[in-house]
Amino acid sequence: MPALPHTQRTVPRIVVVGAGIVGCAVADELTARGCTDVTVVDQGDLYRTGGSTSHAPGLVFQTNGAKAMTDFARYTADKYRGLRVDGRPCFSPVGGLELAATPERLDELHRRCGWARSWGLRAAVVGPQDCAQAHPLVEADRVLGGLLTPDDGLADALGAARAQAEAAVLRGARFLPRHEVTGIETRGDGAPSGRRVAAVLTDQGRLPADAVVLCAGMWGPRVAAMAGEALPLTPLAHQFGWTGPTAALAANGGGDAAPHPILRYQERDLYYRERGDRVGVGYYGHRPMPVAPDAIGTPATTPDLPMPSMHPFTPEDFAPAWNDTLGLLPALADTKVEEGFNGLFSFTPDTMPLIGEFARTAGLWSAEAVWITHSAGVARAVAELIADGASTFDLHACDINRFQRHHLAPSYVRERGCRNFIEVYDALHPQQPMERPRPLRVAPFYERERELGAFFLEANGWERPYYYEDNTALEGAEHAPRPGPWAARYWSPAIAAEARATRERVALYDMSSLMRLEVSGSGAADYLDRMTTCRAHRDPGAVSYCLMLDERGHLLGDITVARIEEDLFQLGVNSRLDLARLARHAPAGVAVRDLTSETACIGVWGPRARDLVQPLADHDLSNDGLRYFHCARMHVGEVPVTAMRVSYVGELGWELYTTPDLGLRLWDTLREAGRGHGLAAAGRGAFDALRLEKGYRAFGADMTDEHDPYEAGVGFALRLKTKGDFVGRAAVERLDPESPARRLACLDTGPPENTVMGSEPVHLPGAPTASGYVTSAAYGYTLGHGIAYAWLPAELAEPGTRLEIDYFGRRIPAEAAAEPLYDPGMERVRA
C-alpha cells in the first residue's frame, strides 16, 4: 500500500489507537523516521492499559516456519535487548529450549531447527543430557532431545512499552491515557471508495488525523468497525499460572531472576518460564474459549476483574496441564499452581498478523493481532510503510487486504481462530488443509471430480484437487518414485501418473481457484502500462506475462494480462492484494473488479491437447490460428469460451474460461472427447512438479517483495526497450542485470527419498552456517530426480556448484543446475 501523499508526508498528523507494546513501538518507530506529530490514545492507564501487554508472559521464541515472522521476532529481540528502564534491561537473553518426548516431536524439532538456520538464527538439536544440563528442572530420562536456541529470551513487556514511549515523547509524540475512542471520522476524498480518515473521536474530544494506526489489540475489531472496516480477529482466553516456590530453583532466590532457558513442551501444549524460585506455566491444550470483541469491557466497566483481558482462572481446564507438567518436570512435585488467570490473546483466520493500510479507507492502518514476540518488528514495518512507502520486511502474507470476502464472515473468523488456537503448537504439514468450514467454494465440475476420487486441498476457500485416486490405475503409478516419510504425507502414486499423462498425452486441470480480474474503460491500457511491466497497447488477443513492482523495483507480483477487446482486459493475479492495489490506484473511467466467481477455468495441456480440442472448436487452433501467449473467443462444443494459449506446466494447451453455468458442460464435453486420446484429470500435485521442471516461479513462495526481478530470474518481463515509464522503472534501471548479489537457483536433489518440502537451509558441504534456503521443491517425474529452488549468493548459484540441504537433521547432497531443466528451447509449448 502507498505511503501518505507527498503533501502530507512533511508534517502528517498521526493518531495511534492503543498504548500497549505495539502502539508504543509504532510511536517510537514513526518518530525515529521523522513523523513526530504522533498522538497515542488509550482507554487505560500508561502503560498497564488493560490489554494483552499487561499480562503477557513475555516469551520471545523467534523460530517460525514463516520467514517474515522470524524476521519480526529477530528485530524485536535485538531492539529490546538494547532497551533499559530504571536501569533494568527490557530483555533477558536466557535462550530457549523446546523439548521432545516422542520420536515424532523430535523429528519436528529437526524441522524447526532447519527453519531457524534458514532464517539466520543460531539453533541446534541437542540430546537428553544436554537438555538436563541446560535447565535444572529437566531430567534426561524424560526427553529424547531438545531444540536449543541461545538468542531467544524473555521480554519485559511493560518495560519495553515504556522505554519506547519515552523515546517517542522525546521526539515530539504525546500519549493520552484514559481517552476512550468513540468514533473514526472520515471524509470523501480518498480513492477508490472516496473515503479517507479525518479524525479520531474520543470521549474527551476530537483528534484531527491524516493517518490512524490501529494497535488496539482485542478491541481492534470494535474500533475498525467505527470506520466501516472489518478486522478478522478473535480474542481467545489462554491459561497461565504461577507455582509456589520450588526447591529445584532455590538457587535463583525469590526475586524476578530467570537464569535458565524458557521451556516449551509443545506436544502437550505447554511452556514454562521462571520468576525466581517460581515457575510460570502456560497452556494451550484446553478447550477454545473465544470472546466476542464487543463483549470485552474497558478498565472502567470491569471493576471486578484485575483488567479486562484477564478472566477468572478455570482450574478444571488446567488439570491435564499440571499432570503433564509433573510427568515432564517431576521436580515440581513439591509445589503447585497458586495463582492463575485466563488471559486474552488475538488469533486470526490464518495465524498471521494484520498489517497495512485498509484498501477501502485511505489513511487507516492496522498493526493488529501482534504478540509480544513480533511487536517491534511489526511496528517497524508499519512505520516504514507510512513514512517511506515500502517496508524492508516481506509483508505479502500479513497484509490486511489479503482476505477474501468469505474470510470476513464472523462465523468463519471465530471458527478459524478457535482452530488455530488448538493447533498453535501442533506439528503441521505444509500441505495440511483446514478441516472446517468446508467446502465453501467449488468449481461447477466438483461432483465430477469427486466421482474420480479427487483428494482436495483448500486454497482461498476453493476445493482444489491435489490428485485423483482413480489415477492410481494409470500407467506410471504402479512403480512411482516415493518420497521420504514426511514428504509422502498427502502424496499418492496418482501424482506420478498424472504428471506422465500430461507430458505424454493430455490432461485436464481445474484452474477455477486462480484469481482473475477484469480491467475495463477507455484508459485501461494506459493504466496497465503504468502499473505493470506489460505492453498493454497491443492488438486485442495478445497476452503478456508481466510484473508489478514497487518504487524500489521490488516484486509485488507476477501476473498475466490478456487484451480481450480494445478497452477490456482480463488479468490472472495471485491474490486479493493485487485487486486492492489495482483498484486503489485506478483513475476515473477505469474499473477494476474481481471476475473469479463469474468464471470457471479448465486447463487442457499435453502433446495431444490440439488433437482433443480442435475437433470441438469453431476456431483455428494451429500455431498460425492461435499463437503462444494469445487468446481468442470461440466455442468448444456448445460452450462459449475464452481460450488463452498459456501453460504453467510446459506443454501445449490452453486455459479455457467460461461461465459457471456452462462449466460442467465444458468438462463433460472434454472428458467425452478425450476417451480416445488417453485423457486424464490431473491435480495440483502433478501441476507443482511439472512447473518446477519447467522453472516457473510462484509468487509468495519462490519470490516476494524482498526481491528484484533480476535476482528472481524474471528480468525478461521488464521490456525496458519496448515500453515507456512504469512503477519501479527508475529503480530497476539502476540495477545491473548481470550481477545480482543473490539468485533464485535451481538444484538437483537426486533420488526421491531426498525430495525436500521447502524452507530448509542450504549449505556448502560441511559448512555449519547456511548460505541460503529452499523455497519450493518436488520430485521431477519426467526428469527422474528431485528439484528444489533456493535463494543463494550468486556465486553459489552457478551450475555445477555442490551443496547440501539440511533436511530433518541429515545433509542431502544437491547440485546447482542450469534452468529450465525441461524443454529449454520451448519447443513443447510452441508446438
Side-chain angles (χ1 to χ4, degrees):
M1 291 296 108
L4 291 167
H6 179 72
T7 55
Q8 297 177 353
R9 237 187 265 179
T10 51
V11 284
R13 298 166 299 177
I14 303 173
V15 176
V16 177
V17 179
I21 195 168
V22 179
C24 292
V26 166
D28 183 32
E29 297 286 341
L30 281 170
T31 55
R33 287 165 176 77
C35 298
T36 56
D37 190 350
V38 175
T39 301
V40 184
V41 297
D42 200 288
Q43 62 192 1
D45 293 323
L46 301 180
Y47 294 94
R48 192 179 293 274
T49 63
S52 300
T53 301
S54 305
H55 65 69
L59 279 65
V60 180
F61 275 100
Q62 298 171 72
T63 302
N64 193 290
K67 180 177 181 293
M69 297 298 277
T70 297
D71 289 343
F72 292 150
R74 179 169 48 219
Y75 180 79
T76 299
D78 290 345
K79 182 178 184 180
Y80 293 173
R81 193 176 285 112
L83 298 180
R84 301 183 74 83
V85 169
D86 296 332
R88 294 179 289 105
C90 294
F91 185 83
S92 299
V94 295
L97 180 60
E98 302 180 38
L99 301 170
T102 63
E104 294 77 15
R105 185 56 66 162
L106 188 61
D107 282 346
E108 171 68 2
L109 294 189
H110 279 290
R111 185 169 75 125
R112 293 178 60 79
C113 184
W115 292 345
R117 291 174 176 175
S118 287
W119 315 144
L121 298 176
R122 294 191 297 162
V125 176
V126 298
Q129 295 297 332
D130 294 312
C131 294
Q133 186 175 357
H135 202 292
L137 293 179
V138 178
E139 297 187 5
D141 61 352
R142 303 294 174 112
V143 298
L144 298 180
L147 174 61
L148 190 62
T149 47
D151 298 318
D152 290 338
L154 290 167
D156 174 0
L158 291 175
R162 176 183 158 191
Q164 292 174 102
E166 290 176 349
V169 169
L170 288 175
R171 301 187 196 103
R174 61 173 178 160
F175 282 69
L176 302 178
R178 300 182 186 177
H179 280 59
E180 182 177 352
V181 174
T182 58
I184 304 290
E185 182 183 312
T186 60
R187 62 174 186 263
D189 60 355
S193 63
R195 187 169 64 189
R196 168 173 283 283
V197 296
V200 172
L201 308 180
T202 78
D203 58 356
Q204 298 191 46
R206 179 179 182 272
L207 301 171
D210 301 308
V212 175
V213 187
L214 302 185
C215 306
M218 65 196 70
W219 292 279
R222 187 187 307 176
V223 181
M226 297 174 186
E229 295 285 3
L231 194 71
L233 174 161
T234 299
L236 284 112
H238 156 61
Q239 291 197 299
F240 187 84
W242 286 105
T243 71
T246 175
L249 298 178
N252 292 356
D256 292 332
H260 306 112
I262 44 180
L263 299 177
R264 283 207 284 196
Y265 184 31
Q266 292 173 299
E267 58 200 275
R268 290 292 185 268
D269 300 299
L270 286 158
Y271 64 82
Y272 308 92
R273 59 150 297 176
E274 297 170 46
R275 187 179 66 189
D277 58 358
R278 301 168 187 261
V279 177
V281 184
Y283 185 44
Y284 287 104
H286 55 80
R287 60 190 170 92
M289 304 180 204
V291 180
D294 287 343
I296 302 172
T298 68
T301 62
T302 54
D304 55 324
L305 297 176
M307 61 184 71
S309 62
M310 292 178 68
H311 288 202
F313 191 62
T314 50
E316 64 277 11
D317 291 304
F318 194 77
W322 190 243
N323 288 335
D324 288 335
T325 293
L326 294 181
L328 176 73
L329 308 174
L332 294 181
D334 67 342
T335 188
K336 63 180 180 179
V337 173
E338 294 186 344
E339 56 180 304
F341 61 91
N342 293 356
L344 298 185
F345 290 92
S346 299
F347 285 78
T348 61
D350 59 4
T351 75
M352 300 296 279
L354 308 172
I355 300 173
E357 186 179 22
F358 287 86
R360 294 174 53 250
T361 307
L364 183 65
W365 297 79
S366 173
E368 292 282 4
V370 183
W371 292 8
I372 304 298
T373 305
H374 312 105
S375 52
V378 169
R380 172 179 159 180
V382 173
E384 289 173 335
L385 290 172
I386 293 174
D388 306 325
S391 175
T392 52
F393 296 98
D394 167 28
L395 301 179
H396 80 277
C398 310
D399 195 299
I400 183 63
N401 301 299
R402 67 189 181 268
F403 296 103
Q404 302 286 334
R405 290 179 60 189
H406 70 273
H407 289 140
L408 303 178
S411 59
Y412 183 95
V413 174
R414 181 185 176 97
E415 181 157 1
R416 293 309 307 155
C418 290
R419 171 50 54 181
N420 289 331
F421 177 90
I422 292 169
E423 295 177 348
V424 69
Y425 276 175
D426 286 2
L428 301 177
H429 191 277
Q431 291 168 318
Q432 182 170 329
M434 70 178 192
E435 297 178 0
R436 297 179 57 191
R438 288 177 67 192
L440 286 172
R441 310 173 80 181
V442 298
F445 20 89
Y446 173 68
E447 290 301 328
R448 294 288 192 269
E449 294 170 330
R450 292 185 63 190
E451 290 169 4
L452 294 173
F455 175 74
F456 293 96
L457 298 183
E458 183 270 344
N460 282 323
W462 287 96
E463 295 297 310
R464 188 166 68 182
Y466 192 63
Y467 61 82
Y468 293 86
E469 190 61 33
D470 282 11
N471 290 334
T472 56
L474 294 181
E475 186 177 6
E478 184 176 359
H479 301 294
R482 183 181 182 85
W486 183 258
R489 299 185 193 183
Y490 305 104
W491 177 85
S492 165
I495 295 172
E498 292 165 15
R500 183 168 181 174
T502 309
R503 290 282 187 244
E504 297 181 357
R505 303 187 303 277
V506 60
L508 299 187
Y509 288 82
D510 178 357
M511 306 299 288
S512 298
S513 64
L514 299 186
M515 191 169 184
R516 299 170 286 281
L517 308 181
E518 180 184 273
V519 180
S520 61
S522 59
D526 289 339
Y527 176 58
L528 290 171
D529 253 343
R530 169 68 180 158
M531 292 296 293
T532 77
T533 64
C534 83
R535 292 186 295 114
H537 286 284
R538 299 170 67 193
D539 292 339
V543 180
S544 298
Y545 172 83
C546 57
L547 311 173
M548 287 196 293
L549 307 177
D550 62 21
E551 294 287 358
R552 304 171 299 169
H554 284 206
L555 293 162
L556 294 177
D558 63 333
I559 65 175
T560 55
V561 176
R563 194 170 200 179
I564 308 297
E565 298 175 1
E566 189 73 17
D567 297 327
L568 179 66
F569 294 81
Q570 181 173 313
L571 279 58
V573 301
N574 292 291
S575 73
R576 197 168 178 83
L577 299 183
D578 300 317
L579 170 63
R581 184 177 302 112
L582 289 167
R584 159 155 288 177
H585 294 284
V590 174
V592 180
R593 68 187 189 93
D594 186 354
L595 199 64
T596 313
S597 296
E598 300 175 30
T599 50
C601 180
I602 299 174
V604 186
W605 292 303
R608 299 185 191 173
R610 187 176 285 122
D611 298 335
L612 166 62
V613 181
Q614 182 65 85
L616 303 172
D618 59 356
H619 191 285
D620 180 5
L621 297 180
S622 68
N623 274 327
D624 292 334
L626 186 59
R627 289 180 292 144
Y628 184 54
F629 261 83
H630 282 74
C631 66
R633 285 173 168 167
M634 64 184 72
H635 290 86
V636 174
E638 299 79 20
V639 179
V641 304
T642 298
M644 293 190 191
R645 191 174 168 192
V646 296
S647 173
Y648 206 51
V649 298
E651 297 294 338
L652 167 70
W654 306 269
E655 292 177 353
L656 302 179
Y657 295 91
T658 189
T659 51
D661 58 317
L662 291 167
L664 180 58
R665 180 69 174 187
L666 178 61
W667 178 275
D668 287 345
T669 298
L670 293 167
R671 285 280 297 171
E672 178 64 28
R675 294 184 188 278
H677 298 287
L679 175 71
R684 192 73 182 190
F687 184 90
D688 284 338
L690 297 173
R691 68 104 177 164
L692 286 175
E693 289 183 338
K694 188 61 181 163
Y696 291 146
R697 279 79 165 128
F699 185 80
D702 300 312
M703 53 190 186
T704 71
D705 55 15
E706 292 181 294
H707 309 118
D708 71 51
Y710 298 124
E711 296 173 327
V714 291
F716 64 87
L718 291 174
R719 302 176 180 90
L720 296 176
K721 296 180 179 179
T722 57
K723 67 167 292 181
D725 194 21
F726 55 86
V727 175
R729 175 170 186 137
V732 295
E733 284 181 328
R734 293 191 293 268
L735 300 173
D736 182 352
E738 302 302 323
S739 58
R742 58 183 174 179
R743 290 187 187 273
L744 183 62
C746 178
L747 308 181
D748 177 341
T749 60
E753 61 270 20
N754 287 353
T755 303
V756 299
M757 297 295 296
S759 300
E760 296 87 2
V762 181
H763 301 254
L764 281 170
T769 303
S771 297
Y773 60 90
V774 174
T775 59
S776 297
Y779 188 76
Y781 297 99
T782 314
L783 305 171
H785 62 77
I787 308 164
Y789 272 77
W791 281 102
L792 292 169
E795 64 274 14
L796 300 186
E798 290 297 319
T801 304
R802 295 190 178 278
L803 300 157
E804 293 177 339
I805 300 174
D806 189 342
Y807 187 56
F808 287 92
R810 64 187 179 97
R811 293 289 183 95
I812 291 173
E815 183 174 316
E819 58 169 337
L821 296 169
Y822 178 78
D823 188 27
M826 299 291 286
E827 288 90 354
R828 305 281 291 194
V829 292
R830 298 182 188 276

